């Protein structure tokens, strides 16, 4: 009879030993656009859109520049640090300077905004990000297809008159 | 079987490498022949409008034809003189030959071949056009069609070739006549080329080609055949009679209506985009160019900076972009550029000042 009690105790003891701490999951940061954008991108296509012509229904309103001025070998790299914070960026391919070809970058929003609105890629000449040189628009955020679209808009007096549409695919 | 496939694969591989060694200059814009229709044993001139190619205006162009036969075989890198085309000017080249003689073949063998297949090239084979097929218009059906007259094309133009076939067997009085003549005028006899039997040169000029068995053919280009055509003349018709030598018989009154005159679309010059800053590319283009206009030369003055260059093209379009972002990098205090564009005949196409937008 005593041996049965001991057996029962041992059984419960074993049950207790086999239990682990409950796994509630640890806190994980949500994926930011920096994570999606970081790395090296190839140019698939570059279009120059005449926004004035387009607004006034004048043709042609668009030209393809992909094969001109070395844009066929255009690459852009967006670098981040270990904490996924933006650092510097660089364009290679020896293309004309339609925007500052190297410097530092930052988004106006780390996450996809829930309300309609475009994410701005602000470009700076200094690491302190005090001197803004250009602003690009991220018009298509990289998803599972590893492609994104970036636009450079030329405006005067608040009215856009030209946009350059860069279609990029990831080289990572 | 395997061996054949390997041979084909190797041949394709070699042909591919071979082709890549050439500079591709593009395809012909337009091809025609004069006479419009011809027998294979008859002399003919093929015309090649190469305004859509990047051949130079004074290029020495050679024909390299491999079907129905390859007369200049083995000489790709040094074309023979017999394959040399004549430069007619304005990016038009011609090749005059008699098919049976050039290909050393009978008319029957040429008719049974795959047709006329060729490339045009420079002498050394460094440049070549796309593959060209010159089509051939067979007209043998006329011999059994019981038609008095048949024309190619049905509606001629003033400057294009015209061939008229005539079956004299259908008109009494033409049997065994020594020759048949074309007594005619443009626009209801307003501009004449009569058959004047007493003038030997006119007798010869108006004489139809005898195809045998009572069939005849007349070949002409109206603008060259008729004298004293005024500038701006619009051809509406050709009125004529086929006349036996010394007027012993005639076909009765005949007429051919001309094709509707369609003027070429006017050239259009434009800049792209319509508004620009000094950091933007400036596109310059001109479409519907006149024959022979193939280059635009630009001179852009921006403050003390001058940018010059040229764009090439052809009848359909000449287009290019100026790299203002690089040329004007670091230059401030400019709010306009002056653009002068001339063509390859030194004609001024545009002389304009374009304001530069100030960027936000």
């Amino acid at each position: 009879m005593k041996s049965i009690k001991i057996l029962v105790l041992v059984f419960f003891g074993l049950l207790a030993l086999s239990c682990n701490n409950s796994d509630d999951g640890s806190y994980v940061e949500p994926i930011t656009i920096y994570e999606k954008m970081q790395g090296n991108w190839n140019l698939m296509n570059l279009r120059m859109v005449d926004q004035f012509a387009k607004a006034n229904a004048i043709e042609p309103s668009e030209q393809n520049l992909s094969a001109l001025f070395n844009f066929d070998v255009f690459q852009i790299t967006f670098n981040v640090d270990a904490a996924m914070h933006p650092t510097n960026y660089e364009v290679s391919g020896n293309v004309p300077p339609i925007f500052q070809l190297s410097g530092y970058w930052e988004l106006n929003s780390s996450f996809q905004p829930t309300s309609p609105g475009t994410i701005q890629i602000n470009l700076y000449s200094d690491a302190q990000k005090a001197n803004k040189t250009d602003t690009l628009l991220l018009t298509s955020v990289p998803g599972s297809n590893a492609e994104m679209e970036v636009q450079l808009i030329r405006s005067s007096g608040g009215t856009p008159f030209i946009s350059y549409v860069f279609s990029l695919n990831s080289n990572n | 079987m395997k061996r054949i496939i390997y041979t084909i694969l190797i041949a394709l591989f070699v042909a591919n490498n071979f082709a890549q060694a050439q500079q591709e200059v593009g395809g012909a814009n337009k091809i025609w022949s004069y006479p419009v229709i011809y027998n294979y044993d008859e002399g003919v001139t093929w015309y090649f409008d190469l305004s859509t190619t990047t051949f130079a205006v004074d290029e020495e162009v050679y024909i390299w034809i491999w079907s129905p036969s390859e007369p200049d075989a083995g000489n790709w890198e040094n074309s023979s003189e017999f394959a040399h085309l004549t430069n007619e000017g304005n990016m038009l080249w011609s090749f005059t030959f008699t098919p049976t003689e050039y290909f050393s073949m009978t008319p029957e063998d040429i008719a049974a071949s795959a047709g006329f297949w060729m490339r045009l090239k420079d002498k050394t084979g460094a440049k070549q056009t796309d593959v060209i097929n010159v089509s051939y218009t067979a007209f043998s059906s006329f011999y059994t069609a019981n038609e008095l007259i048949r024309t190619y094309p049905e509606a001629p133009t003033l400057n294009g070739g015209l061939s008229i076939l005539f079956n004299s067997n259908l008109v009494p009085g033409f049997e065994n006549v020594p020759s048949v003549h074309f007594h005619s005028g443009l626009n209801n006899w307003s501009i004449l080329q009569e058959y004047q039997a007493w003038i030997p040169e006119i007798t010869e000029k108006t004489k139809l080609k005898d195809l045998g068995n009572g069939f005849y053919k007349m070949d002409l280009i109206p603008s060259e055949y008729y004298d004293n055509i005024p500038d701006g003349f619009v051809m509406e018709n050709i009125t004529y009679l086929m006349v036996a030598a010394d007027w012993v018989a005639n076909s009765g009154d005949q007429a051919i209506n001309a094709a509707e005159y369609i003027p070429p679309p006017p050239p259009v010059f434009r800049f792209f985009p319509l508004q620009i800053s000094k950091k933007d590319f400036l596109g310059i283009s001109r479409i519907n160019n006149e024959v022979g206009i193939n280059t635009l030369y630009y001179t852009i003055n921006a403050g003390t900076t001058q940018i010059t260059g040229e764009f090439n093209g052809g009848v359909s379009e000449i287009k290019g972009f100026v790299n203002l972002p690089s040329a004007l990098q670091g230059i401030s205090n400019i709010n306009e550029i002056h653009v002068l564009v001339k063509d390859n005949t030194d004609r001024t196409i545009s002389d304009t000042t374009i304001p530069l937008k100030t960027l936000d």
Side-chain angles (χ1 to χ4, degrees):
Chain A
M1 194 59 197
K2 201 176 186 182
S3 61
I4 289 173
K5 273 187 182 170
I6 291 168
L7 274 175
V8 169
L9 274 174
V10 168
F11 175 72
F12 279 102
L14 283 171
L15 271 182
L17 276 176
S18 66
C19 279
N20 269 327
N21 291 334
S22 63
D23 188 356
D24 297 334
S26 55
Y27 175 72
V28 178
E29 294 272 345
I31 294 175
T32 65
I33 294 171
Y34 290 116
E35 283 178 68
K36 295 178 177 176
M37 273 184 69
Q38 55 105 4
N40 182 252
W41 297 81
N42 283 326
L43 183 70
M44 292 189 294
N45 187 277
L46 171 60
R47 291 177 296 131
M48 183 179 183
V49 181
D50 183 341
Q51 295 291 351
F52 177 82
K54 204 172 170 182
N56 292 283
I58 298 168
E59 288 298 326
S61 63
E62 198 174 301
Q63 297 285 336
N64 194 322
L65 303 181
S66 308
L68 297 170
F69 306 122
N70 277 353
F71 280 113
D72 52 335
V73 293
F74 173 101
Q75 289 192 344
I76 188 163
T77 308
F78 293 102
N79 291 316
V80 294
D81 63 16
M84 283 290 165
H85 292 136
T87 55
N88 64 325
Y89 75 94
E90 193 168 18
V91 171
S92 66
N94 194 25
V95 296
I98 53 174
F99 61 90
Q100 190 73 37
L101 298 179
S102 65
Y104 301 84
W105 68 294
E106 190 170 57
L107 302 175
N108 69 337
S109 166
S110 308
F111 301 101
Q112 182 98 45
T114 47
S115 60
T118 314
I119 300 162
Q120 291 180 4
I121 310 168
N122 293 316
L123 306 181
Y124 304 89
S125 59
D126 58 328
Q128 291 72 41
K129 296 172 185 169
N131 299 318
K132 190 155 105 172
T133 51
D134 296 280
T135 301
L136 304 176
L137 297 182
L138 180 61
T139 45
S140 170
V141 177
S144 54
N145 61 354
E147 292 178 3
M148 69 173 171
E149 187 185 271
V150 171
Q151 293 194 19
L152 171 66
I153 313 276
R154 297 267 193 251
S155 301
S156 185
T159 307
F161 59 95
I162 297 171
S163 58
Y164 295 89
V165 183
F166 297 80
S167 296
L168 303 160
N169 67 345
S170 174
N171 208 21
N172 299 318
Chain B
M1 189 61 198
K2 224 173 193 177
R3 184 179 264 186
I4 293 170
I5 291 171
Y6 281 137
T7 309
I8 291 170
L9 282 175
I10 290 168
L12 280 174
F13 183 71
V14 170
N16 193 32
N17 282 347
F18 185 57
Q20 278 170 359
Q22 323 306 325
Q23 183 191 335
E24 301 286 342
V25 300
N29 184 39
K30 232 174 129 187
I31 300 165
W32 67 92
S33 73
Y34 184 79
V36 180
I37 54 171
Y38 51 94
N39 284 311
Y40 290 122
D41 57 1
E42 204 179 329
V44 61
T45 301
W46 285 346
Y47 291 91
F48 299 92
D49 171 353
L50 302 180
S51 59
T52 46
T53 69
T54 53
F55 273 140
V57 177
D58 58 353
E59 194 85 51
E60 299 295 335
V61 179
Y62 293 79
I63 191 167
W64 186 55
I65 188 162
W66 59 86
S67 172
S69 75
E70 191 175 346
D72 209 12
N75 295 327
W76 173 263
E77 289 173 353
N78 185 18
S79 285
S80 304
E81 197 46 40
F82 63 75
H84 200 172
L85 272 64
T86 303
N87 191 336
E88 303 279 350
N90 290 337
M91 294 300 279
L92 181 68
W93 280 263
S94 70
F95 185 62
T96 301
F97 70 115
T98 302
T100 45
E101 290 171 14
Y102 194 75
F103 300 115
S104 306
M105 292 169 78
T106 64
E108 294 73 26
D109 287 344
I110 296 174
S113 75
F116 299 122
W117 291 93
M118 70 210 73
R119 285 183 197 267
L120 301 179
K121 59 188 282 290
D122 65 349
K123 188 170 177 70
T124 62
K127 300 179 187 177
Q128 65 173 14
T129 64
D130 299 343
V131 173
I132 290 171
N133 173 233
V134 173
S135 61
Y136 176 78
T137 306
F139 57 94
S140 55
S141 65
F142 182 72
Y143 297 129
T144 53
N146 231 28
E147 293 170 38
L148 179 65
I149 302 278
R150 188 189 284 182
T151 65
Y152 292 87
E154 279 181 36
T157 59
L158 184 62
N159 298 309
L162 168 66
S163 291
I164 307 170
L165 294 172
F166 172 53
N167 182 356
S168 75
N169 302 307
L170 302 179
V171 186
F174 275 93
E175 300 86 1
N176 303 317
V177 296
S179 61
V180 176
H181 299 264
F182 187 60
H183 178 74
S184 69
L186 295 178
N187 290 10
N188 304 312
W189 304 100
S190 62
I191 294 173
L192 299 177
Q193 181 56 70
E194 295 169 295
Y195 165 45
Q196 294 159 313
W198 61 95
I199 305 174
E201 302 87 71
I202 298 297
T203 301
E204 192 56 36
K205 182 180 179 180
T206 55
K207 188 176 164 185
L208 276 73
K209 185 180 167 66
D210 189 348
L211 300 176
N213 301 319
F215 294 95
Y216 296 86
K217 179 168 71 112
M218 186 70 195
D219 297 308
L220 65 116
I221 298 170
S223 60
E224 295 174 8
Y225 183 80
Y226 296 93
D227 298 325
N228 303 318
I229 297 177
D231 286 342
F233 179 79
V234 176
M235 181 173 82
E236 291 162 8
N237 58 48
I238 302 174
T239 42
Y240 65 97
L241 291 85
M242 296 299 185
V243 180
D246 297 319
W247 289 87
V248 297
N250 74 70
S251 64
D253 281 322
Q254 307 288 331
I256 306 165
N257 285 321
E260 189 186 347
Y261 175 72
I262 301 167
V268 179
F269 174 84
R270 61 186 154 222
F271 293 113
F272 180 93
L274 297 172
Q275 298 184 341
I276 194 167
S277 79
K278 71 175 183 126
K279 290 170 87 176
D280 295 308
F281 302 111
L282 175 64
I284 294 175
S285 76
R286 192 170 187 268
I287 57 170
N288 306 331
N289 292 293
E290 302 87 342
V291 170
I293 303 301
N294 53 33
T295 310
L296 293 178
Y297 298 91
Y298 61 86
T299 306
I300 300 176
N301 284 296
T304 55
T305 305
Q306 188 172 74
I307 311 158
T308 59
E310 63 178 77
F311 298 130
N312 299 306
V315 171
S316 58
E317 187 177 47
I318 306 171
K319 182 169 100 172
F321 287 84
V322 183
N323 185 355
L324 291 184
S326 295
L328 302 181
Q329 190 179 17
I331 299 173
S332 50
N333 301 326
I334 49 168
N335 51 21
E336 62 180 34
I337 54 175
H338 181 260
V339 185
L340 176 66
V341 181
K342 291 192 169 196
D343 68 12
N344 51 309
T345 63
D346 205 34
R347 181 174 51 160
T348 298
I349 300 296
S350 178
D351 188 348
T352 323
T353 298
I354 301 176
L356 296 176
K357 300 285 269 186
T358 310
L359 292 173
D360 291 344

